[in-house]
Amino acid sequence: MLRMVRLTLTEDVEAVVLIVRTVHLSQRPAQTSQCRQTDSDFIPLNEERLQRFQKALGFESVSRDSGDSNTDEIFKFGEFIIASFPHIHRHSPLVTWERVNNLSLLYHIQGNDPSLKPYLLMAHIDVVPVTNLDQWDAPPFSGEVKDGFIYGRGTIDDKNNVMGILEATEFMLSSNIKPKRSFYISFGHDEETRGNAGASQVANLLRQKGVKEVEFIVDEGMTVLEGIIDGVAGPVASVGVTEKGIVLLNLSVELPPGHSSMPPRETAIGILARAVLRLEENPHPSMLGAGVETDMFESLVPKMSYLQRVVISNIWLFRYPLSWLLSRKPSTNAVIRTVTAVTIFNSGVKFNMIPPLAEAKVNHRVHPSQTIQEVVDYDRAVINDPRVKIEVVYSMEPHPVAGHGESDFGYQVLRTSVRQIWPEAVVVPAIMVGNTDTFNFLNFSTNVYRFSPTHMFPGDPERFHGINERMSVKNYEQVINFFYHLIRNADQAGLSPVHSAHPDL
Ligand SMILES: CC/C=C\C/C=C\C/C=C\C/C=C\C/C=C\C/C=C\CCC(=O)N[C@@H](Cc1ccccc1)C(=O)O
Ligand SMILES: [Zn+2]
Ligand SMILES: [Zn+2]
């Protein structure tokens, strides 16, 4: 609804009249819980399930670089999965499964209503290497529980999702519940190196099997954030409805070598260092107001004060101060712009030789409102030095935006499932700031969601690929139950926010 607001600049002079769009957002009712939990819809995290997760964390299924991973450990982790979930892998006639390219896994769970389009759940079984070992509060491949937290590489990226999906599916099958809607599960083994041997081969196999389309896809992604977005209290479940693109650049400067006692005025190192500094000092522009982040902020309105609502409802007016505020934290800065990370810098041969070559790698995550070409053109203009060669080593355009409205089935399944686990949460569409294996599956559905049911508090985002990666015992129970609710809710045809929960739930 549009409303005229008159701003009085002085006591006597009414000077400015602005058309301010506020009311329809502030009047939107807060989402209410539809959760009705009974014993039969809850999977308790008993000792057996906790120990299975701890054992899963014990496998050093590390991917370091393309073609450089602990394949033995990845294979053993697969064997452990196969041995640990008997209904999925042996007893249930509803399941077919296979190893793909030896290390990845694909499952099909047959639903009893062939008129319903299947969906796809994804996760990955590899993890990034461990650094700063001496700073971990518990060994990273121990799965040790300390003060209510399970520690280990993979607790948030991404063994939580692997094991949560498996526990939920095993529980369903062992309880003799037959899903109506078929679903696939894909566990890739090289997500952390963006390889083409894991999820990419699973996608090829699905195509060979004649699968053309799935109803929706859920993969790892954004999380439940609490106390992380300034000024927003309570949990915010951010669902990645699009994903940033990626551009990896190689910057290089070549100059003749020589004796360090007679140096030229500038060296390759100096020239490249200046180029890198220019990139860091001239961040890509804020795209606030141009894409999904507008819907995201609008969905946050129920959690906001009146003043915040006015600002969010008028992003066009408050774009600059809001961008400035959001830019202050790396996590929120990542949502509003293409970001730049200089990740590798190499040069020099010998102490007393002028370096013949300096090279730097620049990693951009591209905002969905920009293209790769725009990003490279911007960098070229900012560097403004023809001696710096700019090569695109790898690139992927940002992903299309998945439906996130009231009638988008996959989004509503997710939203309902989140609300059953976190009744007080607001569910918001968001931009996935990192990258996932979903790029292999974009041809299967336009409804691709990137969401991990990980409850994060201040300090937790840094644990992604970082030190002391951990998940609370309570949160792991929520992970299992989130996937269980999701599987049950996906059987609800015509699910809508008003009548959403499974009748049994
Ligand atoms: C409502 C939201 C508003 C603001 C957001 C505020 C805070 C966000 C805090 C936490 C975000 C939660 C999750 C996502 C963040 C980081 C994880 C990113 C990716 C995980 C998967 C991954 O690591 N992928 C790799 C893939 C890759 C591998 C090799 C080379 C390139 C890519 C990656 O992206 O690096
Ligand atoms: Zn991951
Ligand atoms: Zn990762």
Side-chain angles (χ1 to χ4, degrees), residues 173-232:
L173 297 171
S174 66
S175 312
N176 216 16
I177 297 168
K178 297 181 175 59
K180 286 192 198 136
R181 190 185 290 273
S182 299
F183 62 102
Y184 293 93
I185 302 172
S186 163
F187 293 146
H189 72 269
D190 62 359
E191 192 278 341
E192 293 295 1
T193 53
R194 220 163 170 70
N196 53 18
S200 147
Q201 296 304 317
V202 173
N204 287 344
L205 183 61
L206 274 183
R207 264 186 292 272
Q208 277 168 30
K209 286 177 185 289
V211 180
K212 290 192 174 62
E213 204 183 358
V214 295
E215 180 65 45
F216 64 91
I217 297 174
V218 179
D219 193 7
E220 65 171 336
M222 298 297 278
T223 58
V224 181
L225 305 163
E226 189 156 353
I228 289 177
I229 308 167
D230 284 339
V232 180

Side-chain angles (χ1 to χ4, degrees), residues 54 65 98 228 271 276 279 319 325 354 400 427 447 455:
Q54 292 176 297
D65 211 342
E98 59 199 289
I228 289 177
I271 293 166
V276 160
L279 289 182
R319 202 170 152 252
L325 269 173
I354 300 300
V427 180
N447 302 313
H455 198 161

Side-chain angles (χ1 to χ4, degrees), residues 47 113 141-142 153 215 240 253 316 370 391 439 459 489:
E47 199 53 34
D113 185 346
F141 293 104
S142 65
R153 189 50 100 222
E215 180 65 45
V253 178
W316 60 274
Q370 277 188 311
E391 288 165 290
F439 72 103
N489 288 326

Side-chain angles (χ1 to χ4, degrees), residues 42 77 86 103 108 121 272 279 319 376 384 387 395 415:
F42 180 70
F77 183 24
L103 301 176
H108 178 248
L121 301 179
L272 191 63
L279 289 182
R319 202 170 152 252
V376 177
N384 191 23
R387 295 169 298 178
S395 70
R415 192 177 116 157

Side-chain angles (χ1 to χ4, degrees), residues 220-282:
E220 65 171 336
M222 298 297 278
T223 58
V224 181
L225 305 163
E226 189 156 353
I228 289 177
I229 308 167
D230 284 339
V232 180
V236 174
S238 52
V239 175
V241 296
T242 177
E243 183 171 314
K244 280 185 147 185
I246 184 164
V247 187
L248 188 60
L249 298 176
N250 190 56
L251 306 186
S252 58
V253 178
E254 272 187 276
L255 285 181
H259 199 287
S260 59
S261 61
M262 299 167 285
R265 210 172 52 80
E266 289 177 295
T267 63
I269 293 178
I271 293 166
L272 191 63
R274 188 177 308 114
V276 160
L277 191 66
R278 281 183 182 153
L279 289 182
E280 289 191 345
E281 284 181 343
N282 295 281

